Amino acid sequence: MVPRRAMAQAPAALLVLATAVFLVAAVGGESEVPEFDAYRMVEYDFRDQQLGSKKSTVSMGAVTPSAANPSRKMVVVSFEQANVALVDQLLGKKAAGGLLIVLPSPESMATLSAASAERFRAVEQSLMRRQVPVPVYFAFDGAETKKLVARLESSSGDSQLVAHGTGAASKKGLTQVSNVHGWLAGKGPKGEGIETLPVIAVVASYDSMAVAPELAVGADANGSGMIAVLQLARMFSKLYSGSRQQGRYNLIFVLTAAGKLDYAGTRYWLEQTDSRLLDRIEFAFCLDSIGKGDSIYVHTSKQPSKDKVPAVAKLFSALKTTAEEMMPVLPLEIVRKKINVSDAVAWEHEQFSRKDILAVTLSGHATHDPALRSSLLDRSIDSGMLSRNILFVANTIAKVVYDLPAPLDIFNGTMGPQEKFINAWAYQVAQEPRMAALFDEGAVKLIMKAESILKEVSAEAQRQTFTLGTERTYYDQKYKVKMSVYVVAPMSFDFIMMAAVAAYLFAMLVAMLGISEAVKAVSDLVKGGKKKQR
């Protein structure tokens, strides 16, 4: 026999139990909250104009791009869907609460079609050149992002995205960066000292740029140039190690900072280097993005009218004949572009040209389009192609240094490009983001390692440290975060669960009190609720 007091309290107790069961069922799901790495879009000021994503906080529902009203929602956009028109619509007319763009896995980026890569690079440039009032994040395609997209597309529940540890952004103070260079001394036919010999400079910037700082590894642009400078320094160090093999030129190998900021490091190096040394630079070879592509493009500011000037003729002849002597023949094309001092610096050699120093940039790109050299898709190189291009540069320099018309068959075996060295460095640069104003500890260690190599192989190595200008100011922020996915069951499921729980609890009430008492108890509970409302 159930006590009368217990009978009176049973409906209320069961109601509490029902509420608890319903809440558990509604939020329900996995015992562990799914999460994945997400990479925030850059935030910076340029000439007092705020650009990039101005917000980082994410705690909102997720929807697909087709959602009618994505306001206050995080729109999850697949790589295949991403294009400039869609991004413009979501950030404009549809006023999305934020964007999460799902990228291909790093391993599959190397196999993207040219059309797909070009389409996405346009999205990157569009985002970087505007002020975005909402949070924008990127994530790689993986198990959790696949589940998220599938859930959204099937409408099998509401998903809530939460970014953890974003913190408040603050303007970054003055940033110091460094150029490093190493010397190899030549030897004149009459024993002239290094102070009088002409100089050949081999130069590459080492920083990178992309719409998401933590994804700006720049494997080709310009990790490949940095690797090439280090490998060439090693090769010529071996060649110059014997006094009889020293060429008639001094060689200087330079790694410059802030290449993506109008080659600020190159400009500083030219401003601070002794003018007597600069006067003796006969050629400067600037290396940029030479880790992919079949052809090499020689970018120069020299117009055809200057081709008969002895130094220019000598340089172009060495480049052309060396390319023809490569096996197989290396496709080479000269691209001429006049320098306008009021324009942004397109290529590194332009900083030398402004000092009236003969220089060219060797690149796998036919144009200076920043989209090609500032993309988060740039995550790998073709080590075989980079090795071929390093050999081409080495043979060109050797042809000038030793003043020989025929090719030199000296850069083979241990004297040539070392596959193990190139592969090891290609892996390292693909792991470390290197945006000039946002260097982290890993990037600093990588550059220090490059400096140590120049010190090992050079007769003399030096570092130049300088402060970046304030024209462009970046924000300190946690650009890599964990993003969690909280799953809430759909509304229809809620109603079904509510009905099922109610039926179950009513059955328990009948078993305890009998049918008539159970009906009366529920009726009294409902009437009591109405009286309270009055």
Side-chain angles (χ1 to χ4, degrees):
M1 190 81 176
V2 180
R4 198 175 286 272
R5 184 177 179 183
M7 289 171 57
Q9 293 176 341
L14 289 176
L15 184 61
V16 173
L17 176 61
T19 302
V21 172
F22 172 70
L23 287 174
V24 170
V27 175
E30 298 140 278
S31 58
E32 293 185 7
V33 177
E35 64 178 20
F36 53 86
D37 290 328
Y39 304 88
R40 186 187 171 225
M41 179 183 167
V42 68
E43 179 180 2
Y44 66 103
D45 295 343
F46 181 60
R47 294 175 180 169
D48 297 323
Q49 181 183 8
Q50 292 186 333
L51 296 171
S53 175
K54 310 311 292 182
K55 291 187 178 180
S56 60
T57 303
V58 175
S59 181
M60 62 186 88
V63 295
T64 64
S66 61
N69 181 19
S71 177
R72 299 183 183 178
K73 300 286 186 182
M74 197 76 171
V75 181
V76 181
V77 182
S78 70
F79 180 81
E80 292 74 19
Q81 294 170 321
N83 60 66
V84 173
L86 177 63
V87 170
D88 286 346
Q89 184 185 48
L90 291 173
L91 296 178
K93 185 179 179 180
K94 285 197 168 184
L99 296 181
L100 172 64
I101 300 177
V102 181
L103 305 169
S105 65
E107 298 77 23
S108 63
M109 283 188 179
T111 60
L112 290 174
S113 69
S116 294
E118 182 179 3
R119 169 179 52 79
F120 189 78
R121 285 195 292 261
V123 172
E124 290 186 81
Q125 291 301 306
S126 175
L127 286 170
M128 289 183 73
R129 292 170 180 168
R130 69 166 84 190
Q131 181 180 358
V132 182
V134 298
V136 177
Y137 282 86
F138 300 85
F140 289 117
D141 185 29
E144 297 306 333
T145 53
K146 277 185 169 68
K147 288 179 187 177
L148 172 63
V149 171
R151 189 178 296 115
L152 295 177
E153 291 177 346
S154 65
S155 300
S156 60
D158 295 333
S159 296
Q160 186 88 2
L161 294 178
V162 177
H164 301 284
T166 53
S170 60
K171 276 191 178 183
K172 190 171 177 60
L174 295 177
T175 302
Q176 288 195 323
V177 291
S178 298
N179 301 321
V180 293
H181 68 249
W183 271 97
L184 287 177
K187 184 178 180 181
K190 297 180 181 180
E192 296 95 329
I194 62 172
E195 298 82 4
T196 60
L197 292 178
V199 176
I200 292 177
V202 185
V203 189
S205 61
Y206 59 74
D207 62 309
S208 57
M209 178 76 77
V211 67
E214 282 289 336
L215 298 178
V217 297
D220 190 30
N222 193 29
S224 64
M226 178 171 68
I227 296 168
V229 167
L230 296 176
Q231 178 65 93
L232 287 164
R234 284 162 53 95
M235 291 163 64
F236 278 95
S237 177
K238 292 178 181 178
L239 190 60
Y240 269 43
S241 61
S243 60
R244 291 185 178 182
Q245 295 170 299
Q246 283 177 284
R248 300 178 182 180
Y249 285 75
N250 296 326
L251 302 179
I252 187 167
F253 301 89
V254 190
L255 292 175
T256 59
K260 297 300 187 292
L261 303 178
D262 283 345
Y263 297 98
T266 313
R267 182 176 65 247
Y268 184 84
W269 188 82
L270 289 166
E271 289 172 349
Q272 299 300 314
T273 299
D274 192 322
S275 61
R276 290 172 296 181
L277 185 156
L278 298 182
D279 290 341
R280 290 188 288 113
I281 295 180
E282 191 166 305
F283 312 126
F285 293 96
C286 302
L287 310 180
D288 191 313
S289 308
I290 58 171
K292 289 181 180 178
D294 187 50
S295 300
I296 284 291
Y297 297 90
V298 181
H299 296 275
T300 177
S301 61
K302 297 298 181 184
Q303 299 307 300
S305 61
K306 301 291 186 181
D307 284 359
K308 292 184 179 180
V309 173
V312 177
K314 184 178 182 180
L315 172 60
F316 285 175
S317 174
L319 287 165
K320 290 176 180 177
T321 56
T322 303
E324 291 167 357
E325 290 158 358
M326 296 284 288
M327 296 296 291
V329 172
L330 186 150
L332 189 79
E333 182 178 338
I334 295 177
V335 182
R336 303 176 191 269
K337 174 184 172 295
K338 287 184 177 180
I339 295 176
N340 187 336
V341 293
S342 63
D343 291 343
V345 182
W347 294 104
E348 190 163 21
H349 74 268
E350 294 181 11
Q351 292 286 17
F352 284 87
S353 297
R354 294 181 187 203
K355 289 283 189 179
D356 202 26
I357 297 172
L358 178 57
V360 295
T361 294
L362 306 181
S363 177
H365 296 306
T367 73
H368 65 277
D369 184 358
L372 295 171
R373 297 182 290 150
S374 302
S375 175
L376 55 77
L377 300 180
D378 182 7
R379 302 190 67 82
S380 66
I381 60 169
D382 181 335
S383 58
M385 196 62 68
L386 178 56
S387 179
R388 180 206 68 170
N389 293 337
I390 290 172
L391 182 61
F392 165 67
V393 177
N395 283 336
T396 302
I397 294 173
K399 183 168 286 192
V400 174
V401 163
Y402 296 105
D403 194 22
L404 295 174
L408 291 173
D409 187 24
I410 54 176
F411 294 113
N412 49 48
T414 58
M415 296 293 291
Q418 297 300 300
E419 181 181 357
K420 187 176 180 180
F421 178 85
I422 292 172
N423 286 338
W425 270 89
Y427 174 79
Q428 289 179 73
V429 298
Q431 306 304 309
E432 290 296 342
R434 302 181 306 283
M435 282 186 66
L438 297 170
F439 258 38
D440 62 12
E441 185 179 352
V444 171
K445 287 181 177 179
L446 184 70
I447 304 309
M448 289 178 65
K449 187 173 181 180
E451 181 183 9
S452 69
I453 289 176
L454 289 180
K455 285 181 177 179
E456 288 173 10
V457 301
S458 303
E460 180 184 349
Q462 293 180 356
R463 178 193 297 195
Q464 284 182 339
T465 300
F466 65 100
T467 303
L468 290 177
T470 57
E471 183 180 58
R472 191 185 304 248
T473 305
Y474 288 86
Y475 284 75
D476 264 334
Q477 175 64 269
K478 193 170 183 181
Y479 283 103
K480 179 181 178 181
V481 302
K482 290 291 184 182
M483 191 167 287
S484 297
V485 185
Y486 294 89
V487 181
V488 181
M491 192 67 72
S492 58
F493 177 79
D494 293 348
F495 286 129
I496 293 171
M497 279 298 300
M498 186 180 292
V501 170
Y504 173 73
L505 294 178
F506 183 72
M508 290 179 63
L509 198 60
V510 169
M512 293 171 63
L513 306 178
I515 184 64
S516 59
E517 289 293 336
V519 170
K520 183 176 180 300
V522 172
S523 177
D524 290 344
L525 185 64
V526 172
K527 289 177 182 178
K530 288 182 177 180
K531 287 179 181 178
K532 287 182 180 179
Q533 288 179 0
R534 288 174 189 168

